[in-house]
Amino acid sequence: MSSAEPKPPTSSSPSSLGGVEVRQTAGRGRALFATRRFAAGARIAVEQAAVAVPTGGGAGNTSALASLRCARCLTSGAPSRCGRCRVARYCGAKCQRADWRQHGPGECALLAGVSPRTAPAPARAVVRLLALRRADDPSAFKAVTGLVAHREQFVGQRSADLEAFAQMAMLVRTHCGQDLLAGVEPKELLELFCRFAVNSMAVIDAAEGVDVGVCVLPTFAMMNHSCSPNCAIVFDGTSAILRALVDIEEGEQARAMLSHSGAASMLTQSYIEIADDVDKRRRELSSRYFFDCDCALCIAQSERRSMGRCVACNSGFVSGQAPDGPWRCSHCGDATSEAAAAAHQRVESLVRSTESPDVSDGDLHKAVANLSAALEAPTGALLAAQRRVLDRHLSAGAWTTALEVSDAAVASMRKLYPTLHPALSVQLYVSAKLAAVLAPDPPDASVEARFANAALALARSHGRDHPLAQEAATKCEEIRRSRALYSAQS
């Protein structure tokens, strides 16, 4: 790490983090603020996860896929197993030795005790947190227990989740030693599960674009949410890198936030998929994080709703003020509430057809095309459908169609995401690699341009030192040299 880069904050970091500080806000709890300017694409801070566990997809689940990743760094294809539990896997001896501090005191017994079943990711994470409590430096554990738990909200709004936490807590008490749980009251253990639920985040594999684990970042967990965030987190293993999506000026009002106290700019991230429609975002934020979002984007999108292509003329799009209008078709003019409902119902039907697990590859491709045609602008539902059909084509080795869908996903992301959003950069790289598969040898100038654009985007969204950005830059240089050599020999 160069001297120009900020030092990675740890769980015991002070409130000042090299241009970032923690402040108390009115009505929003603690938050992170910028105390100096950060240009778009700049690395703001780095935080190593206090705990991280592999998952097979969703942040709250484990599956056979999780067993293929290193229990410490989450690298895929980990060949070694823990000699005691025979469940936790490691990429090598170095990770295995380093992980014993968290794995040995309780997780090892938990995994062995429930085998051949898989231990839930929250149970593994909580046991690892309890191991940090017994460490020589318990600051990481104290930092996590200092985060909000929202137990009262769980009791009132998510009682089923609270019951699941209680069952996992019983699992921990059954299989883990008394030394690990000494002095931990049942209420404290249950609140640890609550804290994990509302403060954890998925670890995204940059190359694959999928969840590979779930972690707790005590410092970054204090960041407030916005559906139009000024920051994003990218992962390199279990290290989280906070990067600026836009220029962040010292002293400016935070983007998409109504107000805050103090002179520094509030740093915001999105807790959810920002491509989703406003109603879905608000429902998820309310149910998962217990607050109603009043960011500028939510307010703006609530004021105007696009319902879909008009079923009467099949040319214009119906839009207006939900839920009662007035409505207007861009081709017909004034539209009735029935026309708005019919347009919306057609879109919803097409969305459901793309979500069916039984639909064939060909029918899914057609359904996604029909959904795209029925929408005035890309939506989160369309992007999710494009990702599903892309996965189908990639699995089938249908490279030409896969490239078409990947490019369509890029077009959707350009409308739905900020320019420097990490997912957009990764999708640009996916398209470049697909174009290279289909290209002649050597690839033509268009393929070189794709890799150059992807490498530049990844350098800004992930950082030039990120492995994926370096991989893209290397591939771009290889193509450039190959083309230059071919030109010289012609």
Side-chain angles (χ1 to χ4, degrees), residues 252-275:
E252 73 171 10
Q253 290 295 307
R255 295 179 71 248
M257 302 302 293
L258 293 180
S259 65
H260 64 75
S261 59
S265 181
M266 182 184 288
L267 303 179
T268 60
Q269 63 164 320
S270 179
Y271 296 172
I272 57 172
E273 172 56 81
I274 59 175

Side-chain angles (χ1 to χ4, degrees), residues 166-344:
Q167 293 175 1
M168 285 188 275
M170 181 62 68
L171 200 68
V172 170
R173 289 194 174 275
T174 300
H175 295 288
C176 298
Q178 290 303 311
D179 288 346
L180 184 73
L181 295 163
V184 179
E185 297 296 327
K187 178 182 176 181
E188 294 176 87
L189 184 58
L190 194 61
E191 287 187 346
L192 265 185
F193 279 97
C194 293
R195 286 190 173 89
F196 175 80
V198 295
N199 293 289
S200 59
M201 68 177 61
V203 179
I204 308 296
D205 184 284
E208 300 176 30
V210 296
D211 298 2
V212 298
V214 61
C215 73
V216 179
L217 305 163
T219 301
F220 291 170
M222 288 185 281
M223 292 180 66
N224 272 317
H225 164 83
S226 172
C227 296
S228 181
N230 55 18
C231 299
I233 293 174
V234 296
F235 282 90
D236 184 1
T238 56
S239 291
I241 307 158
L242 185 66
R243 306 197 72 88
L245 291 175
V246 297
D247 291 339
I248 300 173
E249 301 292 341
E250 178 187 358
E252 73 171 10
Q253 290 295 307
R255 295 179 71 248
M257 302 302 293
L258 293 180
S259 65
H260 64 75
S261 59
S265 181
M266 182 184 288
L267 303 179
T268 60
Q269 63 164 320
S270 179
Y271 296 172
I272 57 172
E273 172 56 81
I274 59 175
D276 287 334
D277 68 73
V278 58
D279 291 334
K280 184 176 181 180
R281 293 199 309 269
R282 281 180 161 174
R283 284 195 304 269
E284 186 172 355
L285 289 167
S286 177
S287 64
R288 289 182 59 186
Y289 301 103
F290 309 110
F291 71 89
D292 297 322
C293 187
D294 58 0
C295 73
L297 183 65
C298 281
I299 293 172
Q301 291 181 345
S302 296
E303 293 174 351
R304 180 187 181 276
R305 302 292 181 91
S306 178
M307 307 302 282
R309 188 175 293 276
C310 179
V311 297
C313 67
N314 210 36
S315 295
F317 295 93
V318 179
S319 62
Q321 178 68 50
D324 301 319
W327 305 103
R328 185 173 181 80
C329 170
S330 58
H331 180 77
C332 302
D334 291 342
T336 64
S337 296
E338 290 76 14
H344 181 66

Side-chain angles (χ1 to χ4, degrees), residues 353-354 363-373 382 385-386 389 405:
S353 69
T354 67
D363 287 345
L364 177 60
H365 191 92
K366 292 177 184 177
V368 172
N370 290 336
L371 176 60
S372 179
L382 174 61
Q386 289 170 330
V389 74
V405 177

